[in-house]
Amino acid sequence: MRNYVDGEWRAPSGDDGRDVVDSASGEAVTHVGFSTDDDVDDAVAAGQAAFEEWRETPVEERIQPLFELKSLLEHHQDDLAETLVREHGKTFDEAKGELRRGIENVEVACGIPSMMQGGHLPNAAPDIDETAVRKPLGVFAAVTPFNFPGMIPLWFMPYAVATGNAFLLKPSEKTPVTAQRIVELAAEAGFPDGVVQLVNGSVDTVNAILGHDGIEGVSFVGSTPVAKHVYETAAANGKRVQAQGGAKNHVVVAESADLEFAAEQTVGSAFANTGQRCLANPVAVVDDAVYDEFVDRLVDIVADMTVGEGMADGVEMGPLVSDDHRETVEGYVEMGIDEGATLLYDGRDADVPEEGSFLGPTVFGDVDPDATVACDEIFGPVLALVRADDFDDAVSIVNRSEFGNAASLFTDRGADARRFRHEVEAGNLAVNAGTAAPMAFFHFGGWKDSFFGDLHAQGEDMIHFYTDAAVYIERWPDA
Ligand code: NAD
Protein backbone atom coordinates (compact mmCIF):
# COMPACT_ATOMS: atom_id res chain seq x y z
CA MET A 1 0.00 0.00 0.00
CA ARG A 2 1.19 3.51 -0.83
CA ASN A 3 0.60 7.05 0.38
CA TYR A 4 -0.45 9.60 -2.24
CA VAL A 5 1.36 12.87 -1.52
CA ASP A 6 1.88 15.82 -3.85
CA GLY A 7 0.87 13.75 -6.88
CA GLU A 8 3.28 10.87 -6.10
CA TRP A 9 2.71 7.35 -4.77
CA ARG A 10 5.18 6.83 -1.93
CA ALA A 11 5.75 4.09 0.65
CA PRO A 12 4.82 5.17 4.20
CA SER A 13 8.14 5.66 6.00
CA GLY A 14 7.31 4.21 9.45
CA ASP A 15 8.67 0.89 10.70
CA ASP A 16 5.29 -0.47 11.79
CA GLY A 17 2.51 -1.90 9.70
CA ARG A 18 0.10 -4.79 9.41
CA ASP A 19 -1.29 -7.28 6.93
CA VAL A 20 -4.69 -6.64 5.41
CA VAL A 21 -6.45 -10.00 5.58
CA ASP A 22 -9.28 -11.50 3.52
CA SER A 23 -11.37 -12.65 6.46
CA ALA A 24 -13.18 -15.26 4.36
CA SER A 25 -9.96 -17.15 3.67
CA GLY A 26 -7.57 -15.89 6.34
CA GLU A 27 -5.05 -15.01 3.62
CA ALA A 28 -3.19 -11.70 3.45
CA VAL A 29 -4.40 -9.44 0.64
CA THR A 30 -1.60 -6.93 1.08
CA HIS A 31 0.52 -5.21 3.71
CA VAL A 32 0.06 -1.63 4.88
CA GLY A 33 2.90 0.37 6.41
CA PHE A 34 2.21 3.22 8.83
CA SER A 35 3.12 6.84 8.20
CA THR A 36 5.38 8.94 10.42
CA ASP A 37 4.94 12.55 11.54
CA ASP A 38 7.24 13.54 8.65
CA ASP A 39 4.95 11.81 6.13
CA VAL A 40 2.01 13.78 7.54
CA ASP A 41 4.10 17.00 7.43
CA ASP A 42 4.90 16.42 3.75
CA ALA A 43 1.24 15.85 2.89
CA VAL A 44 0.11 18.93 4.81
CA ALA A 45 2.78 21.10 3.16
CA ALA A 46 1.73 19.86 -0.29
CA GLY A 47 -1.94 20.41 0.58
CA GLN A 48 -1.26 23.96 1.76
CA ALA A 49 0.65 24.76 -1.45
CA ALA A 50 -2.11 23.25 -3.62
CA PHE A 51 -4.78 25.13 -1.68
CA GLU A 52 -3.38 28.53 -2.73
CA GLU A 53 -4.24 27.86 -6.38
CA TRP A 54 -7.21 25.58 -5.87
CA ARG A 55 -9.13 28.14 -3.80
CA GLU A 56 -8.76 30.62 -6.70
CA THR A 57 -9.89 28.07 -9.29
CA PRO A 58 -13.42 28.96 -10.44
CA VAL A 59 -15.96 26.68 -8.80
CA GLU A 60 -17.24 25.48 -12.17
CA GLU A 61 -13.73 24.19 -12.93
CA ARG A 62 -13.36 22.69 -9.45
CA ILE A 63 -16.35 20.42 -9.95
CA GLN A 64 -15.28 19.05 -13.35
CA PRO A 65 -12.98 16.38 -11.81
CA LEU A 66 -15.92 15.34 -9.60
CA PHE A 67 -18.09 14.63 -12.65
CA GLU A 68 -15.18 12.60 -14.01
CA LEU A 69 -14.76 10.81 -10.68
CA LYS A 70 -18.45 9.85 -10.63
CA SER A 71 -18.11 8.35 -14.06
CA LEU A 72 -14.89 6.49 -13.14
CA LEU A 73 -16.42 5.13 -9.91
CA GLU A 74 -19.42 3.86 -11.85
CA HIS A 75 -17.23 2.38 -14.57
CA HIS A 76 -15.15 0.53 -11.95
CA GLN A 77 -18.02 -0.26 -9.60
CA ASP A 78 -17.76 -4.05 -9.97
CA ASP A 79 -14.00 -4.28 -9.46
CA LEU A 80 -14.17 -1.82 -6.55
CA ALA A 81 -16.95 -3.94 -5.05
CA GLU A 82 -14.83 -7.07 -5.37
CA THR A 83 -11.96 -5.25 -3.62
CA LEU A 84 -14.38 -4.39 -0.81
CA VAL A 85 -15.45 -8.02 -0.49
CA ARG A 86 -11.81 -9.16 -0.27
CA GLU A 87 -10.63 -6.65 2.31
CA HIS A 88 -13.77 -6.50 4.45
CA GLY A 89 -15.77 -9.70 3.97
CA LYS A 90 -19.14 -8.17 3.03
CA THR A 91 -21.21 -9.62 0.19
CA PHE A 92 -20.84 -8.40 -3.37
CA ASP A 93 -24.36 -6.88 -3.31
CA GLU A 94 -23.61 -5.07 -0.06
CA ALA A 95 -20.37 -3.78 -1.56
CA LYS A 96 -22.16 -2.45 -4.64
CA GLY A 97 -24.81 -0.83 -2.45
CA GLU A 98 -22.08 0.82 -0.36
CA LEU A 99 -20.42 2.26 -3.43
CA ARG A 100 -23.73 3.57 -4.73
CA ARG A 101 -24.22 5.48 -1.47
CA GLY A 102 -20.70 6.87 -1.77
CA ILE A 103 -21.20 7.96 -5.38
CA GLU A 104 -24.35 9.84 -4.32
CA ASN A 105 -22.12 12.16 -2.31
CA VAL A 106 -20.01 12.88 -5.38
CA GLU A 107 -23.23 13.73 -7.23
CA VAL A 108 -24.42 16.07 -4.48
CA ALA A 109 -21.04 17.83 -4.28
CA CYS A 110 -21.28 18.56 -8.02
CA GLY A 111 -23.99 21.02 -6.97
CA ILE A 112 -21.57 23.11 -4.86
CA PRO A 113 -21.87 26.15 -7.18
CA SER A 114 -25.45 26.47 -5.95
CA MET A 115 -24.91 25.08 -2.44
CA MET A 116 -22.05 27.36 -1.35
CA GLN A 117 -23.63 30.61 -2.49
CA GLY A 118 -24.07 33.26 0.16
CA GLY A 119 -26.66 36.02 0.16
CA HIS A 120 -26.94 39.64 -0.88
CA LEU A 121 -29.24 42.35 0.40
CA PRO A 122 -29.23 45.80 -1.20
CA ASN A 123 -30.14 48.65 1.16
CA ALA A 124 -29.59 46.55 4.26
CA ALA A 125 -29.14 49.97 5.94
CA PRO A 126 -29.30 53.49 4.39
CA ASP A 127 -27.10 53.35 1.23
CA ILE A 128 -25.51 50.13 2.47
CA ASP A 129 -25.51 46.84 0.61
CA GLU A 130 -24.57 43.70 2.48
CA THR A 131 -23.22 40.42 1.06
CA ALA A 132 -22.55 37.15 2.84
CA VAL A 133 -20.04 34.72 1.32
CA ARG A 134 -18.52 31.37 2.22
CA LYS A 135 -14.77 30.77 1.83
CA PRO A 136 -12.64 27.61 1.95
CA LEU A 137 -10.12 27.36 4.78
CA GLY A 138 -7.17 25.14 3.78
CA VAL A 139 -6.27 21.50 4.47
CA PHE A 140 -8.90 19.19 5.99
CA ALA A 141 -8.34 15.58 7.07
CA ALA A 142 -10.68 12.61 7.47
CA VAL A 143 -10.00 9.50 9.57
CA THR A 144 -12.26 6.61 8.64
CA PRO A 145 -13.27 3.19 10.07
CA PHE A 146 -13.02 -0.35 8.68
CA ASN A 147 -16.67 -1.11 8.05
CA PHE A 148 -17.47 1.03 4.98
CA PRO A 149 -14.05 1.54 3.39
CA GLY A 150 -15.48 2.84 0.10
CA MET A 151 -18.44 4.95 1.20
CA ILE A 152 -17.20 6.80 4.28
CA PRO A 153 -14.23 8.59 2.64
CA LEU A 154 -16.79 9.84 0.10
CA TRP A 155 -18.95 11.37 2.86
CA PHE A 156 -16.19 14.01 3.09
CA MET A 157 -13.78 14.22 0.16
CA PRO A 158 -16.14 15.50 -2.57
CA TYR A 159 -17.46 18.36 -0.43
CA ALA A 160 -14.03 19.33 0.91
CA VAL A 161 -12.49 19.76 -2.53
CA ALA A 162 -15.54 21.19 -4.30
CA THR A 163 -15.67 24.00 -1.72
CA GLY A 164 -12.01 24.80 -2.55
CA ASN A 165 -10.07 23.02 0.20
CA ALA A 166 -7.31 20.40 0.06
CA PHE A 167 -8.21 16.98 1.51
CA LEU A 168 -6.12 14.36 3.30
CA LEU A 169 -7.52 10.87 3.97
CA LYS A 170 -6.29 8.44 6.64
CA PRO A 171 -8.27 5.24 5.97
CA SER A 172 -8.65 2.34 8.39
CA GLU A 173 -5.48 0.26 8.55
CA LYS A 174 -7.71 -2.83 8.61
CA THR A 175 -9.29 -2.04 5.23
CA PRO A 176 -7.19 0.52 3.29
CA VAL A 177 -7.33 -1.01 -0.20
CA THR A 178 -10.57 0.44 -1.64
CA ALA A 179 -9.62 3.91 -0.36
CA GLN A 180 -6.33 3.72 -2.24
CA ARG A 181 -8.20 2.70 -5.38
CA ILE A 182 -10.63 5.64 -4.98
CA VAL A 183 -7.73 8.07 -4.57
CA GLU A 184 -6.13 6.58 -7.72
CA LEU A 185 -9.38 7.31 -9.55
CA ALA A 186 -9.48 10.84 -8.10
CA ALA A 187 -5.96 11.40 -9.46
CA GLU A 188 -7.09 10.08 -12.85
CA ALA A 189 -10.13 12.37 -12.69
CA GLY A 190 -7.83 15.40 -12.83
CA PHE A 191 -7.55 16.95 -9.38
CA PRO A 192 -4.30 18.96 -9.22
CA ASP A 193 -1.43 17.50 -7.17
CA GLY A 194 -1.91 18.03 -3.43
CA VAL A 195 -5.69 18.56 -3.58
CA VAL A 196 -6.60 14.94 -2.80
CA GLN A 197 -4.02 13.04 -0.72
CA LEU A 198 -3.78 9.81 1.26
CA VAL A 199 -1.64 8.75 4.20
CA ASN A 200 -1.86 5.25 5.63
CA GLY A 201 -1.34 4.57 9.29
CA SER A 202 -2.78 3.87 12.69
CA VAL A 203 -2.97 5.61 16.09
CA ASP A 204 0.29 7.60 15.77
CA THR A 205 -0.61 8.85 12.31
CA VAL A 206 -4.01 10.00 13.58
CA ASN A 207 -2.36 11.79 16.49
CA ALA A 208 0.06 13.49 14.08
CA ILE A 209 -2.98 14.77 12.15
CA LEU A 210 -4.76 15.93 15.32
CA GLY A 211 -1.72 17.89 16.47
CA HIS A 212 -0.74 19.42 13.11
CA ASP A 213 -0.93 23.22 12.92
CA GLY A 214 -1.45 23.13 9.17
CA ILE A 215 -4.72 21.19 9.34
CA GLU A 216 -7.86 23.30 9.69
CA GLY A 217 -10.35 20.59 10.52
CA VAL A 218 -10.81 16.86 11.06
CA SER A 219 -13.71 14.56 10.26
CA PHE A 220 -13.69 11.29 12.15
CA VAL A 221 -15.84 8.17 11.97
CA GLY A 222 -15.17 5.24 14.30
CA SER A 223 -15.77 3.93 17.80
CA THR A 224 -17.01 6.17 20.62
CA PRO A 225 -13.84 6.20 22.79
CA VAL A 226 -11.70 7.20 19.81
CA ALA A 227 -14.33 9.72 18.62
CA LYS A 228 -14.16 11.41 22.04
CA HIS A 229 -10.35 11.48 21.92
CA VAL A 230 -10.39 12.94 18.40
CA TYR A 231 -13.01 15.53 19.32
CA GLU A 232 -11.21 16.69 22.44
CA THR A 233 -7.70 16.69 20.97
CA ALA A 234 -8.58 18.35 17.68
CA ALA A 235 -10.68 21.00 19.44
CA ALA A 236 -7.92 21.65 22.00
CA ASN A 237 -5.61 22.22 19.03
CA GLY A 238 -7.96 24.83 17.58
CA LYS A 239 -9.44 22.73 14.78
CA ARG A 240 -12.93 22.27 13.50
CA VAL A 241 -13.97 18.74 14.29
CA GLN A 242 -16.88 16.41 13.66
CA ALA A 243 -16.53 12.98 15.27
CA GLN A 244 -19.05 10.22 14.63
CA GLY A 245 -18.92 7.42 17.16
CA GLY A 246 -20.44 4.04 17.90
CA ALA A 247 -24.06 2.98 18.14
CA LYS A 248 -26.55 0.54 19.61
CA ASN A 249 -29.77 1.13 17.72
CA HIS A 250 -33.29 -0.14 18.38
CA VAL A 251 -36.22 -1.35 16.36
CA VAL A 252 -39.56 -0.89 18.09
CA VAL A 253 -42.27 -3.33 16.98
CA ALA A 254 -45.65 -1.96 18.04
CA GLU A 255 -48.76 -4.06 18.54
CA SER A 256 -50.31 -2.84 15.27
CA ALA A 257 -47.23 -3.61 13.10
CA ASP A 258 -47.25 -5.86 10.03
CA LEU A 259 -45.26 -8.56 11.83
CA GLU A 260 -43.92 -10.44 8.80
CA PHE A 261 -42.64 -7.22 7.24
CA ALA A 262 -41.20 -6.03 10.57
CA ALA A 263 -39.42 -9.37 11.06
CA GLU A 264 -37.90 -9.31 7.55
CA GLN A 265 -36.73 -5.72 7.96
CA THR A 266 -35.35 -6.36 11.45
CA VAL A 267 -33.30 -9.30 10.19
CA GLY A 268 -31.98 -7.20 7.30
CA SER A 269 -31.10 -4.36 9.61
CA ALA A 270 -29.44 -6.47 12.30
CA PHE A 271 -27.37 -8.74 10.06
CA ALA A 272 -26.46 -6.71 6.94
CA ASN A 273 -22.71 -6.12 6.74
CA THR A 274 -22.52 -8.95 9.34
CA GLY A 275 -23.88 -6.52 11.93
CA GLN A 276 -20.82 -4.27 11.49
CA ARG A 277 -22.85 -1.16 10.74
CA CYS A 278 -23.48 1.99 12.75
CA LEU A 279 -27.05 1.93 11.40
CA ALA A 280 -27.68 -1.71 12.31
CA ASN A 281 -30.56 -2.27 14.73
CA PRO A 282 -29.23 -5.00 17.03
CA VAL A 283 -31.99 -4.55 19.65
CA ALA A 284 -35.66 -5.18 18.83
CA VAL A 285 -38.09 -3.91 21.48
CA VAL A 286 -41.33 -5.77 20.87
CA ASP A 287 -44.77 -5.12 22.35
CA ASP A 288 -45.61 -7.99 24.70
CA ALA A 289 -48.94 -8.55 22.91
CA VAL A 290 -47.19 -9.62 19.68
CA TYR A 291 -43.81 -10.73 21.05
CA ASP A 292 -44.26 -14.50 20.65
CA GLU A 293 -45.61 -14.29 17.11
CA PHE A 294 -42.87 -11.84 16.07
CA VAL A 295 -40.17 -14.10 17.52
CA ASP A 296 -41.47 -17.15 15.63
CA ARG A 297 -41.49 -15.30 12.34
CA LEU A 298 -38.08 -13.75 12.91
CA VAL A 299 -36.33 -16.97 13.91
CA ASP A 300 -37.75 -18.73 10.81
CA ILE A 301 -36.17 -16.06 8.60
CA VAL A 302 -32.84 -16.20 10.44
CA ALA A 303 -32.71 -20.00 10.17
CA ASP A 304 -32.94 -19.66 6.36
CA MET A 305 -30.00 -17.26 6.02
CA THR A 306 -27.02 -18.30 3.91
CA VAL A 307 -23.65 -17.38 5.35
CA GLY A 308 -20.53 -17.63 3.21
CA GLU A 309 -17.85 -15.98 1.13
CA GLY A 310 -19.05 -12.61 -0.16
CA MET A 311 -18.56 -13.27 -3.90
CA ALA A 312 -20.52 -16.56 -3.86
CA ASP A 313 -24.04 -16.64 -5.33
CA GLY A 314 -26.91 -16.51 -2.88
CA VAL A 315 -24.79 -15.54 0.14
CA GLU A 316 -26.64 -13.16 2.45
CA MET A 317 -24.00 -12.64 5.12
CA GLY A 318 -20.20 -12.73 5.00
CA PRO A 319 -17.57 -13.21 7.73
CA LEU A 320 -16.60 -10.74 10.43
CA VAL A 321 -13.65 -8.52 9.66
CA SER A 322 -11.09 -10.61 11.60
CA ASP A 323 -10.62 -13.60 13.89
CA ASP A 324 -9.98 -11.22 16.78
CA HIS A 325 -13.28 -9.51 16.20
CA ARG A 326 -15.09 -12.86 15.96
CA GLU A 327 -13.64 -13.80 19.35
CA THR A 328 -14.90 -10.54 20.82
CA VAL A 329 -18.38 -11.12 19.43
CA GLU A 330 -18.41 -14.74 20.63
CA GLY A 331 -17.45 -13.40 24.07
CA TYR A 332 -20.64 -11.34 24.01
CA VAL A 333 -22.65 -14.44 23.08
CA GLU A 334 -21.25 -16.15 26.20
CA MET A 335 -22.06 -13.05 28.23
CA GLY A 336 -25.67 -13.05 26.98
CA ILE A 337 -26.06 -16.65 28.15
CA ASP A 338 -24.48 -15.80 31.53
CA GLU A 339 -26.82 -12.83 31.88
CA GLY A 340 -29.80 -15.18 31.57
CA ALA A 341 -31.09 -14.34 28.09
CA THR A 342 -32.67 -17.16 26.05
CA LEU A 343 -30.50 -18.22 23.12
CA LEU A 344 -33.12 -18.60 20.35
CA TYR A 345 -30.65 -19.09 17.52
CA ASP A 346 -26.98 -19.84 18.11
CA GLY A 347 -24.77 -18.53 15.30
CA ARG A 348 -21.83 -20.53 16.65
CA ASP A 349 -23.60 -23.72 15.51
CA ALA A 350 -24.79 -22.31 12.18
CA ASP A 351 -23.76 -23.78 8.86
CA VAL A 352 -20.76 -21.58 7.98
CA PRO A 353 -17.51 -22.23 6.06
CA GLU A 354 -14.75 -23.77 8.18
CA GLU A 355 -11.99 -21.36 7.15
CA GLY A 356 -12.29 -17.65 7.81
CA SER A 357 -13.77 -15.41 10.52
CA PHE A 358 -17.34 -16.65 10.15
CA LEU A 359 -20.04 -16.50 12.80
CA GLY A 360 -23.68 -17.21 12.00
CA PRO A 361 -26.56 -14.91 12.98
CA THR A 362 -27.36 -15.13 16.69
CA VAL A 363 -30.68 -14.22 18.33
CA PHE A 364 -31.31 -13.76 22.06
CA GLY A 365 -34.85 -13.63 23.43
CA ASP A 366 -36.26 -12.15 26.65
CA VAL A 367 -33.22 -9.95 27.10
CA ASP A 368 -33.25 -7.58 30.06
CA PRO A 369 -33.12 -4.09 28.48
CA ASP A 370 -30.30 -3.16 30.85
CA ALA A 371 -28.23 -6.31 30.17
CA THR A 372 -24.79 -5.85 28.60
CA VAL A 373 -25.82 -7.51 25.32
CA ALA A 374 -28.68 -5.01 25.01
CA CYS A 375 -26.54 -1.96 25.83
CA ASP A 376 -22.94 -2.45 24.57
CA GLU A 377 -22.06 -2.00 20.93
CA ILE A 378 -21.17 -5.56 19.88
CA PHE A 379 -20.73 -4.75 16.17
CA GLY A 380 -21.48 -8.26 15.03
CA PRO A 381 -24.41 -10.51 14.07
CA VAL A 382 -26.09 -10.62 17.48
CA LEU A 383 -29.72 -9.52 17.86
CA ALA A 384 -31.31 -8.99 21.29
CA LEU A 385 -35.11 -9.20 21.58
CA VAL A 386 -36.61 -7.25 24.48
CA ARG A 387 -40.24 -7.34 25.66
CA ALA A 388 -41.99 -4.00 26.18
CA ASP A 389 -45.20 -3.60 28.22
CA ASP A 390 -46.54 -1.06 25.75
CA PHE A 391 -45.47 1.76 23.45
CA ASP A 392 -44.51 4.10 26.34
CA ASP A 393 -42.27 1.41 27.81
CA ALA A 394 -40.66 0.81 24.39
CA VAL A 395 -39.82 4.50 23.93
CA SER A 396 -38.38 4.69 27.41
CA ILE A 397 -36.16 1.63 26.75
CA VAL A 398 -34.87 3.21 23.52
CA ASN A 399 -34.11 6.51 25.25
CA ARG A 400 -32.18 4.85 28.08
CA SER A 401 -29.34 4.07 25.64
CA GLU A 402 -26.13 6.06 25.97
CA PHE A 403 -26.04 6.09 22.16
CA GLY A 404 -28.41 7.92 19.81
CA ASN A 405 -27.47 7.07 16.26
CA ALA A 406 -30.71 5.64 14.86
CA ALA A 407 -34.00 3.94 15.64
CA SER A 408 -36.83 2.35 13.64
CA LEU A 409 -40.51 1.86 14.42
CA PHE A 410 -42.92 -0.63 12.88
CA THR A 411 -46.51 0.41 13.36
CA ASP A 412 -49.83 0.91 11.63
CA ARG A 413 -50.72 3.91 13.80
CA GLY A 414 -49.87 7.45 12.76
CA ALA A 415 -50.14 8.61 16.35
CA ASP A 416 -47.36 6.20 17.42
CA ALA A 417 -45.22 7.32 14.50
CA ARG A 418 -45.70 10.96 15.43
CA ARG A 419 -44.76 10.36 19.06
CA PHE A 420 -41.75 8.33 17.97
CA ARG A 421 -40.48 11.20 15.82
CA HIS A 422 -40.99 13.70 18.64
CA GLU A 423 -39.73 11.70 21.59
CA VAL A 424 -36.99 9.32 20.48
CA GLU A 425 -33.50 10.69 21.14
CA ALA A 426 -31.59 9.68 18.01
CA GLY A 427 -30.31 11.46 14.93
CA ASN A 428 -31.76 9.11 12.29
CA LEU A 429 -35.30 7.79 12.64
CA ALA A 430 -37.30 5.48 10.39
CA VAL A 431 -40.95 4.45 10.42
CA ASN A 432 -41.75 1.14 8.72
CA ALA A 433 -38.18 0.84 7.39
CA GLY A 434 -35.43 -1.23 8.98
CA THR A 435 -32.54 1.14 8.43
CA ALA A 436 -32.71 4.91 8.86
CA ALA A 437 -30.07 5.73 6.23
CA PRO A 438 -30.34 9.29 4.91
CA MET A 439 -29.61 10.06 1.27
CA ALA A 440 -26.50 12.15 0.58
CA PHE A 441 -28.45 15.40 0.20
CA PHE A 442 -29.49 15.11 3.86
CA HIS A 443 -27.02 15.32 6.74
CA PHE A 444 -26.03 12.11 8.53
CA GLY A 445 -25.02 11.84 12.14
CA GLY A 446 -26.19 10.67 15.53
CA TRP A 447 -26.87 12.14 18.95
CA LYS A 448 -25.56 11.49 22.47
CA ASP A 449 -22.43 9.27 22.53
CA SER A 450 -22.83 8.54 18.82
CA PHE A 451 -21.61 11.99 17.79
CA PHE A 452 -19.30 14.73 19.06
CA GLY A 453 -19.52 18.04 17.27
CA ASP A 454 -22.30 20.02 15.66
CA LEU A 455 -22.09 19.83 11.87
CA HIS A 456 -22.76 16.32 10.57
CA ALA A 457 -21.51 14.46 7.49
CA GLN A 458 -23.09 14.80 4.03
CA GLY A 459 -25.25 17.48 2.46
CA GLU A 460 -25.61 21.09 3.57
CA ASP A 461 -23.75 20.59 6.88
CA MET A 462 -20.60 19.78 4.90
CA ILE A 463 -20.66 23.19 3.22
CA HIS A 464 -20.70 24.86 6.61
CA PHE A 465 -17.99 22.57 7.99
CA TYR A 466 -15.65 23.18 5.06
CA THR A 467 -16.12 26.96 4.73
CA ASP A 468 -16.09 30.02 6.92
CA ALA A 469 -18.64 32.79 6.50
CA ALA A 470 -17.77 36.41 5.87
CA VAL A 471 -19.95 39.48 5.38
CA TYR A 472 -19.14 42.50 3.20
CA ILE A 473 -20.77 45.82 3.96
CA GLU A 474 -20.47 48.39 1.16
CA ARG A 475 -21.39 52.06 0.87
CA TRP A 476 -20.79 53.97 -2.37
CA PRO A 477 -21.90 57.56 -1.86
CA ASP A 478 -22.70 59.57 -5.00
CA ALA A 479 -19.68 61.61 -6.08
P1 NAD B 1 -11.91 2.57 15.43
O1 NAD B 1 -12.36 3.66 16.34
O2 NAD B 1 -11.14 1.44 16.01
O3 NAD B 1 -10.99 3.17 14.25
C1 NAD B 1 -11.42 4.23 13.46
C2 NAD B 1 -10.20 5.02 12.99
O4 NAD B 1 -9.54 5.55 14.13
C3 NAD B 1 -9.18 4.19 12.22
O5 NAD B 1 -8.76 4.93 11.11
C4 NAD B 1 -8.06 3.97 13.24
O6 NAD B 1 -6.79 3.97 12.63
C5 NAD B 1 -8.18 5.18 14.15
N1 NAD B 1 -7.87 4.87 15.56
C6 NAD B 1 -8.13 3.71 16.23
N2 NAD B 1 -7.75 3.81 17.53
C7 NAD B 1 -7.25 5.05 17.68
C8 NAD B 1 -6.69 5.76 18.78
N3 NAD B 1 -6.59 5.19 19.99
N4 NAD B 1 -6.26 7.02 18.59
C9 NAD B 1 -6.36 7.61 17.38
N5 NAD B 1 -6.88 6.98 16.28
C10 NAD B 1 -7.31 5.73 16.43
O7 NAD B 1 -13.22 2.05 14.68
P2 NAD B 1 -13.38 0.79 13.71
O8 NAD B 1 -13.30 -0.45 14.50
O9 NAD B 1 -12.51 0.95 12.52
O10 NAD B 1 -14.89 1.02 13.21
C11 NAD B 1 -16.02 0.57 13.90
C12 NAD B 1 -16.64 1.68 14.73
O11 NAD B 1 -16.99 2.77 13.89
C13 NAD B 1 -17.93 1.24 15.40
O12 NAD B 1 -17.95 1.74 16.71
C14 NAD B 1 -19.01 1.89 14.55
O13 NAD B 1 -20.23 2.15 15.20
C15 NAD B 1 -18.33 3.17 14.17
N6 NAD B 1 -18.95 3.76 12.99
C16 NAD B 1 -19.74 4.87 13.19
C17 NAD B 1 -20.37 5.43 12.12
C18 NAD B 1 -21.25 6.63 12.32
O14 NAD B 1 -21.65 7.25 11.34
N7 NAD B 1 -21.56 7.02 13.56
C19 NAD B 1 -20.22 4.91 10.84
C20 NAD B 1 -19.41 3.79 10.67
C21 NAD B 1 -18.76 3.22 11.77
Side-chain angles (χ1 to χ4, degrees):
M1 303 299 300
R2 292 281 181 272
N3 290 349
Y4 187 61
V5 174
D6 204 11
E8 281 178 9
W9 290 97
R10 306 176 184 171
S13 58
D15 296 329
D16 295 337
R18 61 177 277 160
D19 284 346
V20 179
V21 175
D22 177 347
S23 58
S25 65
E27 282 166 21
V29 174
T30 183
H31 180 84
V32 60
F34 296 166
S35 301
T36 59
D37 290 11
D38 286 346
D39 295 336
V40 173
D41 276 351
D42 289 349
V44 175
Q48 285 176 316
F51 172 65
E52 292 309 321
E53 268 194 47
W54 186 240
R55 69 190 301 188
E56 299 301 336
T57 304
V59 66
E60 183 55 21
E61 283 176 42
R62 289 204 304 260
I63 59 170
Q64 294 313 313
L66 281 178
F67 284 105
E68 187 61 25
L69 179 61
K70 166 185 156 64
S71 144
L72 287 167
L73 289 167
E74 283 172 344
H75 181 72
H76 291 284
Q77 193 161 352
D78 280 4
D79 46 280
L80 284 166
E82 189 166 349
T83 304
L84 278 171
V85 172
R86 295 280 170 243
E87 70 171 332
H88 176 277
K90 61 186 68 190
T91 70
F92 189 55
D93 281 349
E94 287 171 341
K96 283 195 292 191
E98 161 174 359
L99 290 165
R100 185 63 245 155
R101 301 312 295 261
I103 293 167
E104 274 169 21
N105 283 278
V106 181
E107 292 166 351
V108 173
C110 288
I112 292 285
S114 303
M115 293 171 80
M116 86 181 271
Q117 286 179 21
H120 180 81
L121 189 62
N123 292 323
D127 291 332
I128 290 201
D129 301 337
E130 211 161 317
T131 307
V133 297
R134 303 208 70 89
K135 297 179 174 182
L137 289 159
V139 180
F140 279 84
V143 175
T144 54
F146 81 82
N147 64 327
F148 286 103
M151 175 182 72
I152 293 181
L154 293 173
W155 282 354
F156 307 109
M157 186 271 265
Y159 305 98
V161 298
T163 47
N165 299 286
F167 178 80
L168 175 60
L169 174 66
K170 202 303 281 174
S172 167
E173 63 276 34
K174 294 175 197 159
T175 55
V177 187
T178 311
Q180 174 163 321
R181 193 68 195 107
I182 290 174
V183 171
E184 282 168 11
L185 294 177
E188 192 180 331
F191 288 105
D193 293 351
V195 170
V196 176
Q197 302 190 96
L198 168 78
V199 289
N200 286 292
S202 183
V203 176
D204 292 345
T205 315
V206 175
N207 287 330
I209 287 171
L210 299 179
H212 203 295
D213 286 347
I215 292 179
E216 299 297 325
V218 179
S219 303
F220 173 85
V221 183
S223 58
T224 290
V226 184
K228 268 187 188 160
H229 163 68
V230 168
Y231 180 68
E232 289 167 7
T233 313
N237 288 325
K239 301 185 193 319
R240 293 181 170 209
V241 53
Q242 47 178 198
Q244 306 197 192
K248 184 77 169 182
N249 306 314
H250 299 75
V251 163
V252 171
V253 182
E255 189 179 354
S256 66
D258 173 340
L259 294 184
E260 186 62 24
F261 180 67
E264 282 165 9
Q265 292 274 311
T266 302
V267 169
S269 171
F271 300 119
N273 221 37
T274 321
Q276 300 163 120
R277 231 174 24 147
C278 69
L279 286 181
N281 281 311
V283 186
V285 183
V286 186
D287 193 296
D288 193 43
V290 292
Y291 180 91
D292 292 334
E293 189 183 342
F294 178 79
V295 168
D296 288 347
R297 289 173 188 258
L298 182 130
V299 172
D300 279 353
I301 299 168
V302 170
D304 263 357
M305 282 180 70
T306 308
V307 181
E309 193 272 320
M311 293 303 293
D313 280 346
V315 163
E316 292 163 284
M317 194 173 94
L320 285 158
V321 70
S322 64
D323 283 350
D324 284 354
H325 190 46
R326 182 184 53 189
E327 275 170 34
T328 305
V329 176
E330 283 176 347
Y332 274 107
V333 175
E334 286 297 329
M335 198 181 294
I337 296 165
D338 293 347
E339 285 178 325
T342 311
L343 191 52
L344 297 171
Y345 195 85
D346 189 348
R348 298 170 304 176
D349 295 340
D351 182 16
V352 303
E354 274 179 25
E355 298 293 318
S357 313
F358 289 95
L359 176 66
T362 296
V363 183
F364 279 114
D366 283 312
V367 180
D368 178 334
D370 298 316
T372 314
V373 286
C375 297
D376 276 20
E377 180 177 45
I378 299 175
F379 223 53
V382 180
L383 172 62
L385 302 173
V386 172
R387 277 182 204 265
D389 297 337
D390 51 26
F391 189 69
D392 282 349
D393 188 32
V395 170
S396 119
I397 290 169
V398 174
N399 283 345
R400 287 217 290 274
S401 175
E402 69 192 83
F403 299 105
N405 211 40
S408 289
L409 167 67
F410 290 91
T411 186
D412 203 22
R413 282 171 39 87
D416 288 351
R418 184 166 188 276
R419 277 196 54 204
F420 189 79
R421 280 169 42 185
H422 279 271
E423 292 176 26
V424 169
E425 295 160 5
N428 302 283
L429 300 177
V431 174
N432 293 325
T435 307
M439 301 290 285
F441 26 85
F442 286 95
H443 67 259
F444 173 54
W447 288 11
K448 294 157 90 176
D449 273 2
S450 295
F451 182 72
F452 306 92
D454 34 36
L455 296 167
H456 296 92
Q458 296 195 153
E460 188 79 27
D461 273 22
M462 288 276 71
I463 312 299
H464 289 255
F465 187 72
Y466 286 130
T467 59
D468 214 343
V471 169
Y472 304 143
I473 292 171
E474 294 183 72
R475 176 192 281 133
W476 294 101
D478 278 343

